[in-house]
Amino acid sequence: MNAPQQGFKERADAELKNAVLKIAIDRTTGNAERKRAVAVAAFPEFQAARARGRAIKDHVIAHLDHYLEMFERNATAAGATVHWASDDAEARAIITRICLEADAKLVTRAKSMLGEEIGLPHALADAGIERVETDLAEHIIQLAGERPSHIVWPAMHRTREQVAILFKEAHHPPPAADDPATMVQSARRELRAKFLGADVGISGANFLVADTGATCTVTNEGNAELTTTPPRIHIVTAGIEKLVPSTAHAFALLRLLVRSATGGEMTQYTTFHCGPKRPGDADGPEEMHIVLVDNGRTRMLADEFRPMLRCIRCGACMNHCVVYRQIGGHAYGGTYPGPMGAVLTPVLDGLAQSRDLPHACTMNGRCAEVCPVEIPLPTLLRAWRTRSWRERLEPRSVRAALGLWAMAARRPWLYRLGSRIGVRALRLFGRRGWIGSLPLVGGWTAYRDLPRPSGRTFMEQYRAGQAGRAGQTGREARK
Amino acid sequence: MSAKSNPRVGLFLTCLVDAIRPGIGFAAIQLLEEAGCRVEVPQAQTCCGQPALNSGDDKDAADLARRTIAAFEGHDYVVLPSGSCAGTMVHAYPELLAGDPEWAARARDLAARAHEITSFLVDVMGYRPQGRRLDATATYHDSCAGLRELGIAAQPRALLASVEGLEMRGLEGNDVCCGFGGTFCVKYSSISNAIVTEKAEAVERTGADLLLSGDLGCLMNMAGKLHRRGAKTRCFHTIEVVAGRAGGPAIGEEG
Ligand code: SF4
C-alpha cells in the first residue's frame, strides 16, 4: 500500500538541496538527541532496563501464539471484538466494513504508524468517509497532503514558519498570529468541533496487554482520548508484535520508550482502554473493535529479521542517524524511515523495490547503540545486503567490479601487482599531493579531493628494506 | 623470551595503508617494536574482505576470511592500524564462518588474537611513548567501527597525552560518523558529502592545526573534504603522531 521506493537517490538528492528541510530536521532531531542524552544520564539503570526491555519483547515473540490467544480471550471478555488481518488489504477491508456498517460519515483518527502502514487514510477516502486527524502533526500533514516523515513527529520536516502559512490558508478563521500558542489554539478550535461529531474513532496502540485485554496509547496532546471516547465506535489497529504479558511489562517498556523518544520521563497521557462502555459508565464507546495486523510479521518471526519485532517505535535510531539527518524521512519512500525503516520497508514492500535502503548506510552503529531494545540494526541491514546480492539485485557493474577484485584478493602476488600498478596510475593524476578529478571514482572527486598515494606501496618498500638488511626485521627502509 | 613480554606480532597492513600511505605501516612497526614486540608482515595477506562483506557478497568475504586466518595462524597477536578492519576480524569472521566446521574455531581463535593498534599498545602491552614532542594543537575524531565495535576511545587519547607539547581540543560530534562508510561514499556520494561537510565544519571550528583519527578511510574522506574547502587542517593517523612522524608530510602533502 505504499508508493514505490525506486528513485531513492533522486529523492535524496532533491531533499539535500532543501535548506529549510535541513533546518527543520536539525531542530527536532537535535533537540531529541540532547534530551535523550540527559534522560539516559539521569537514569542510572538505563542499560539494565534496556536488557529487561529486550528480554520482555523476546519472550513475547517466542510465545506469540500463547499471548495472542490470551489477549483475545481477555479483550473479548471485556466486551471488545477482536479481528485478525493477515495483511494490509484485509485490515483495510475490516475497518471500512465496520465504518460502513455503522453508517459512519465522519471518522477521527489518532496518530498511528500502523494506520499508515496499511494505507488507512486512502482506504477511508475511497469509501467516501471523511477523516479528521486529531494529532496536531497529523493535522498538519493532512492539510499539506503529505505522509509522515518521522514516526514520532510526523510533520517534523515542516518548520513552524511553514505551518503558520498552512494554517492561515486552511483554518476558518485563520490564526491571529503565528506564535506556537496561537497556532495550537487555532488547530484546537478547528479540531474540537469535529471530535464530538465523529461516528468512529480510530487509534493505534503502543501496547496490547495480554492478561487484561487492554490496549494502551501514549500521547502528549490528549487527542487519543478525544478520539477514542466520544464516538460511538472505537477501532484499535495494532501490529501483533505490540503484545506484552501484563501492565507491569507495559510500564517497563514505557520507561524506555518515552526517554528514547522525547527524553521525557513519562508522556502527558497514558491511557489503557479495556473494552467498550459498561453499564453505569459515564462515557465511552458503545463498541470497541481491535484489529490485529500481521502484514509480514509472522514471516519475520521465522527469519533473520526476527529481532526487528522488538521495535517499540521510539524513533531514536533515526534521530541519531547521519543519513536520516541529511535527507529526512520522505526520501526513504516507505511508511517507516531511518534505520528501522530501512529494515522494515523491504519486509513490507519487497526488496526489489527498496534495495537502496539497506545500502544507503555507513554502518556506523549509532542506531544500535541508542536502540532501547538492543536491535542490532546494522546486522539486519547487512542481512538485507546479503539477500540482495544472492538474489542478484545489485547492478551488473558492481558485481563485475567486486568479482574482479575478489579474484585478485585471493592471489597475493596478483593483488600486490594490482596495488603497485594502481598506485603508479594514480600518481599520473592530480598535482601537489591531491587529485581533484578522477574517472571511476567521480563520486569521490565530485565533492572532495583524493590524496595522491605517497609513492611505492608499503609492501614494495618493506621488501626492499628487508632485502637491504637481511635478517633484521622491522624498521622502515626509506629510500 | 616469553610470548607475553616479547610477543610475535603479525602486522595486517590494510589495503589503504599499503597503497595510499605506507608511512602508517612503518609507524606501526616502530611502535610495536618499541613496545617489545617481534613484528612480521606476512606476505600472504591481502584484504580483510570488507568490500565484499559490505556489499552482501558473503561467499567472497568468507573466502578472504579463511585466507587471512591461515596467513596469521602462527602469531601471538594480529595487529591492524584500523578499527574497521580489526572489527571485521573480531566480529564478522566468527559470524561468517560459524557454520563451517573446519574454520569456525580458527575464526574465533583469530578474533581473540586480533587487535587495533592503539588498543593493543595500551591495553595489551602497557606501552606509552617516551620523549616525543610536538608543538601543535590537534583534535581527534572517533572512527565508528573502532569506537562501537571495539570500544576504542581512551587508548588513542592516552597515547596522545604522552606526546609533550601537543594540545588536544575537543571536537563537537567527535563520535558522529564522518560519512565515509567504505563504498557508501561513492555509491551515495551526495549524502556522504553532506555528512562530511558537517564534519569538516566542526573540525574547522576547533581551530586545531591537526586532525587525528585511527582509520585511513575516514581520514582520507575528511582530509579530502577539508582540502577541497581550502582549510589548512593537516591530517594524520594517530600512530603517526605517537611515533613522532608528524614532522613529515600530512595526508595529501607531497613529501
Ligand atoms: S529500532 Fe529501536 S531505536 Fe529504532 S524505533 Fe525501533 S525501538 Fe526505537
Side-chain angles (χ1 to χ4, degrees):
Chain A
M1 195 50 204
N2 295 303
Q5 277 79 51
Q6 273 154 0
F8 169 79
K9 284 188 184 179
E10 291 73 18
R11 283 194 304 273
D13 279 346
E15 301 289 47
L16 285 171
K17 296 195 184 91
N18 185 344
V20 179
L21 173 68
K22 181 68 179 135
I23 293 170
I25 296 173
D26 279 344
R27 270 187 201 165
T28 307
T29 58
N31 221 352
E33 183 184 356
R34 275 187 299 277
K35 287 190 179 161
R36 177 199 170 272
V38 172
V40 167
F43 183 17
E45 317 83 27
F46 187 74
Q47 293 308 333
R50 267 179 102 202
R52 176 144 191 263
R54 170 191 178 152
I56 293 170
K57 290 300 263 187
D58 278 342
H59 170 81
V60 173
I61 292 162
H63 303 95
L64 200 56
D65 47 348
H66 169 76
Y67 285 112
L68 279 171
E69 276 173 32
M70 188 193 283
F71 176 79
E72 184 184 27
R73 205 174 336 114
N74 291 323
T76 309
T81 311
V82 177
H83 308 258
W84 301 87
S86 61
D87 60 14
D88 54 341
E90 224 177 305
R92 290 195 299 274
I94 293 168
I95 296 161
T96 38
R97 182 170 42 75
I98 298 170
C99 292
L100 293 175
E101 278 175 9
D103 205 16
K105 302 277 179 293
L106 179 66
V107 166
T108 48
R109 205 170 79 99
K111 172 182 169 291
S112 137
M113 287 308 296
L114 186 87
E116 301 292 332
E117 177 189 321
I118 61 175
L120 193 55
H122 276 107
L124 293 173
D126 290 349
I129 300 165
E130 188 189 350
R131 163 179 63 100
V132 174
E133 296 290 343
T134 61
D135 178 270
L136 182 60
E138 291 280 351
H139 172 61
I140 293 166
I141 61 171
Q142 186 178 23
L143 291 181
E146 292 175 327
R147 298 178 55 186
S149 65
H150 189 287
I151 62 172
V152 175
W153 300 283
M156 64 92 81
H157 56 283
R158 294 201 156 247
T159 59
R160 200 169 57 229
E161 296 77 3
Q162 290 176 318
V163 172
I165 296 170
L166 206 59
F167 279 10
K168 262 191 199 116
E169 283 167 11
H171 287 179
H172 306 287
D178 58 7
D179 61 290
T182 315
M183 290 203 291
V184 170
Q185 271 310 325
S186 175
R188 179 168 291 178
R189 200 179 47 235
E190 195 78 13
L191 292 172
R192 292 256 157 156
K194 308 259 184 183
F195 280 143
L196 301 172
D199 308 294
V200 176
I202 305 179
S203 73
N206 292 90
F207 304 104
L208 303 169
V209 184
D211 72 348
T212 63
T215 69
C216 171
T217 53
V218 296
T219 70
N220 278 321
E221 295 168 19
N223 61 301
E225 289 62 36
L226 283 173
T227 307
T228 58
T229 313
R232 214 153 29 82
I233 297 174
H234 174 201
I235 304 176
V236 180
T237 59
I240 52 176
E241 86 286 2
K242 289 279 185 267
L243 275 168
V244 289
S246 74
T247 309
H249 295 104
F251 275 104
L253 289 166
L254 259 179
R255 300 177 80 187
L256 292 167
L257 171 62
V258 183
R259 282 175 175 83
S260 302
T262 63
E265 287 182 5
M266 195 73 192
T267 37
Q268 299 290 337
Y269 298 86
T270 302
T271 308
F272 291 83
H273 310 267
C274 194
K277 182 176 179 173
R278 284 158 302 196
D281 279 358
D283 49 25
E286 284 156 31
E287 289 176 33
M288 181 178 182
H289 296 269
I290 302 168
V291 185
L292 298 177
V293 181
D294 182 336
N295 207 26
R297 287 163 176 78
T298 45
R299 219 177 333 125
M300 287 165 74
L301 207 54
D303 65 25
E304 63 266 51
F305 302 106
R306 180 176 174 134
M308 200 61 219
L309 290 170
R310 293 203 291 263
C311 177
I312 54 175
R313 309 287 193 259
C314 73
C317 54
M318 54 200 78
N319 296 337
H320 291 77
C321 172
V322 282
V323 173
Y324 180 91
R325 286 178 71 152
Q326 295 298 339
I327 64 175
H330 287 152
Y332 289 80
T335 301
Y336 303 99
M340 57 82 80
V343 176
L344 280 176
T345 302
V347 176
L348 296 169
D349 300 344
L351 183 58
Q353 291 292 314
S354 55
R355 62 154 288 280
D356 265 313
L357 304 187
H359 287 87
C361 166
T362 66
M363 296 284 173
N364 66 74
R366 207 151 175 249
C367 49
E369 189 178 64
V370 297
C371 175
V373 282
E374 300 180 341
I375 299 174
L377 292 152
T379 306
L380 302 183
L381 292 172
R382 188 167 273 145
W384 276 126
R385 294 185 184 186
T386 301
R387 282 212 192 177
S388 183
W389 186 268
R390 253 194 254 132
E391 291 171 18
R392 303 189 149 266
L393 298 174
E394 295 312 294
R396 275 263 281 298
S397 57
V398 171
R399 295 186 73 89
L402 206 68
L404 208 63
W405 165 86
M407 191 268 289
R410 286 196 188 86
R411 295 167 179 78
W413 65 270
L414 181 59
Y415 201 67
R416 272 198 236 314
L417 182 67
S419 305
R420 282 208 295 276
I421 294 171
V423 160
R424 279 169 181 69
L426 275 179
R427 287 193 58 84
L428 298 176
F429 290 87
R431 47 190 203 87
R432 307 191 63 232
W434 294 96
I435 301 167
S437 145
L438 189 70
L440 290 179
V441 292
W444 181 287
T445 53
Y447 301 109
R448 359 166 163 55
D449 295 326
L450 185 68
R452 214 148 75 141
S454 43
R456 293 182 299 160
T457 66
F458 174 92
M459 286 299 191
E460 283 179 88
Q461 297 184 37
Y462 178 76
R463 283 165 70 168
Q466 291 256 309
R469 288 177 293 118
Q472 190 191 353
T473 52
R475 305 220 172 264
E476 170 183 8
R478 287 225 138 164
K479 336 171 240 181
Chain B
M1 266 193 266
S2 75
K4 184 101 187 70
S5 65
N6 184 216
R8 188 172 160 228
V9 168
L11 179 66
F12 186 93
L13 250 319
T14 78
C15 308
L16 287 178
V17 167
D18 181 41
I20 305 288
R21 200 160 168 84
I24 296 171
F26 291 111
I29 293 176
Q30 178 197 324
L31 292 174
L32 289 168
E33 289 186 347
E34 283 178 13
C37 306
R38 288 168 289 154
V39 185
E40 289 167 19
V41 184
Q43 293 297 303
Q45 64 178 289
T46 60
C47 172
C48 71
Q50 264 191 93
L53 190 69
N54 285 334
S55 301
D57 177 6
D58 289 4
K59 197 171 146 293
D60 280 327
D63 211 25
L64 291 174
R66 289 188 198 94
R67 281 165 198 280
T68 305
I69 293 166
F72 286 89
E73 210 113 65
H75 297 93
D76 297 320
Y77 298 104
V78 182
V79 174
L80 308 86
S82 156
S84 110
C85 305
T88 299
M89 284 189 193
V90 172
H91 297 293
Y93 282 13
E95 274 172 40
L96 272 171
L97 299 173
D100 185 332
E102 198 192 323
W103 287 89
R106 293 167 79 179
R108 285 197 301 274
D109 177 62
L110 177 80
R113 288 181 289 123
H115 297 270
E116 183 276 341
I117 186 156
T118 62
S119 61
F120 179 75
L121 287 170
V122 172
D123 298 341
V124 180
M125 299 306 293
Y127 168 84
R128 291 290 186 286
Q130 301 289 322
R132 297 278 143 72
R133 177 160 197 103
L134 180 65
D135 290 304
T137 54
T139 192
Y140 179 81
H141 164 75
D142 290 87
S143 284
C144 301
L147 178 68
R148 300 204 178 81
E149 291 175 27
L150 304 170
I152 292 162
Q155 303 93 330
R157 290 178 171 88
L159 292 173
L160 290 168
S162 305
V163 177
E164 282 173 49
L166 185 65
E167 181 202 322
M168 295 303 294
R169 295 197 180 158
L171 175 65
E172 203 186 311
N174 61 290
D175 61 347
V176 175
C177 177
C178 74
F180 173 61
T183 51
F184 170 85
C185 72
V186 189
K187 283 186 185 162
Y188 301 94
S189 56
S190 53
I191 302 174
S192 171
N193 174 54
I195 300 169
V196 74
T197 299
E198 280 185 23
K199 178 62 72 178
E201 287 165 356
V203 171
E204 289 165 21
R205 277 198 299 276
T206 67
D209 306 323
L210 311 177
L211 168 64
L212 310 177
S213 194
D215 257 284
L216 184 53
C218 312
L219 277 164
M220 286 168 63
N221 181 40
M222 295 183 288
K225 189 71 213 179
L226 285 161
H227 187 258
R228 178 67 60 95
R229 290 167 58 86
K232 294 279 169 282
T233 323
R234 304 174 71 220
C235 303
F236 287 96
H237 193 291
T238 309
I239 64 168
E240 293 182 283
V241 169
V242 176
R245 289 161 174 261
I251 291 171
E253 290 176 0
E254 210 81 312

